[in-house]
Amino acid sequence: MLLSMRQDPMLEYPDPIQAQSLEAWVRTAIAFGELSPAAEAHLNHIVAEGVSEVERRLLALLNDAIQAGCVRRVYPSWG
């Protein structure tokens, strides 16, 4: 019998209800260590609508994680 274990919510993809939550997208990128082009485009869309000071700090954390190599941008391989 398989036991149903709750998954850590920090490791789940953002819920559609939270789709506008910049924090959820940043947490996901940091948790998985990857930032897909779609996620980056979605973050840019959120930023274009305007962000708070807290959200600016979250973006700074994500940028620092990318610069440090903790989060890498991933690109689909066509081939």
Side-chain angles (χ1 to χ4, degrees):
M1 175 183 353
L2 295 174
L3 296 177
S4 176
M5 299 181 75
R6 274 187 72 134
Q7 191 174 16
D8 183 352
M10 293 289 293
L11 299 178
E12 294 177 1
Y13 283 103
D15 186 332
I17 294 171
Q18 296 177 327
Q20 291 298 317
S21 172
L22 186 134
E23 180 181 359
W25 288 93
V26 170
R27 283 179 180 264
T28 300
I30 291 173
F32 286 99
E34 295 180 341
L35 183 63
S36 71
E40 190 165 7
H42 191 77
L43 285 171
N44 288 334
H45 177 74
I46 294 171
V47 170
E49 293 179 353
V51 293
S52 68
E53 184 59 33
V54 170
E55 291 171 323
R56 284 184 216 280
R57 286 189 226 140
L58 287 169
L59 289 170
L61 286 171
L62 179 58
N63 284 327
D64 288 347
I66 292 169
Q67 294 299 320
C70 298
V71 173
R72 63 185 179 92
R73 288 182 168 97
V74 293
Y75 300 97
S77 62
W78 310 102

